Amino acid sequence: GEKEDDFLDRPLWELHGSTWDRIVGALQRGFYKLYRRVYGDDLPMSEMLRTLCMASTLFFMIGGYWTLRSLKDAVVMTLNGVEYIPIAKMASVGVILCVVPIYNYLLDSGIQPHRLFYLFGSI
């Protein structure tokens, strides 16, 4: 008779874990390689969660801005009429010119930056 081998006679999924474990492991390794390629070796993996949170925040802010920018003219035109579009654009520049110095003053006054971010984000 043929000699049985406990290691070779077991199915592959028992040797390497379940299919789900292999998929999760492959995704983790791929993500790690992508992270190293994008951020290099200078950014430690301990900062990965913080980096991903900040990157996703930037992604959603730009995505929201891009979406709202295309809707702005249509909404102003529907609510007030075409003649108010230039006024709304000038008013938005005026508001930014007023808000940025206030934000910078509050930032220099000692308020923690994350609290200031939440304050302006909730307005």
Side-chain angles (χ1 to χ4, degrees):
E2 194 174 307
K3 185 176 177 184
E4 292 188 21
D5 188 339
D6 289 338
F7 183 77
L8 294 176
D9 289 338
R10 283 193 285 174
L12 284 177
W13 62 268
E14 285 183 9
L15 297 175
H16 299 290
S18 67
T19 304
W20 178 252
D21 291 337
R22 288 192 313 248
I23 291 172
V24 169
L27 287 174
Q28 286 176 337
R29 286 188 302 278
F31 182 72
Y32 180 77
K33 287 179 185 177
L34 176 67
Y35 183 82
R36 283 290 181 211
R37 180 171 290 218
V38 171
Y39 296 108
D41 293 329
D42 296 335
L43 193 62
M45 286 300 289
S46 60
E47 292 288 321
M48 183 175 58
L49 183 60
R50 181 178 178 188
T51 304
L52 292 176
C53 286
M54 293 176 80
S56 63
T57 300
L58 179 64
F59 172 78
F60 286 114
M61 286 174 65
I62 290 173
Y65 172 75
W66 196 12
T67 304
L68 291 175
R69 183 176 174 215
S70 62
L71 292 174
K72 178 177 60 174
D73 289 344
V75 170
V76 170
M77 191 170 44
T78 302
L79 294 176
N80 298 324
V82 174
E83 63 274 4
Y84 287 101
I85 291 176
I87 296 170
K89 290 185 179 193
M90 287 187 285
S92 68
V93 171
V95 168
I96 293 300
L97 289 175
C98 293
V99 169
V100 168
I102 293 169
Y103 179 82
N104 285 335
Y105 172 77
L106 292 173
L107 193 60
D108 291 339
S109 71
I111 296 177
Q112 294 175 341
H114 69 279
R115 291 186 184 208
L116 194 57
F117 175 78
Y118 295 139
L119 173 70
F120 273 79
S122 64
I123 293 177

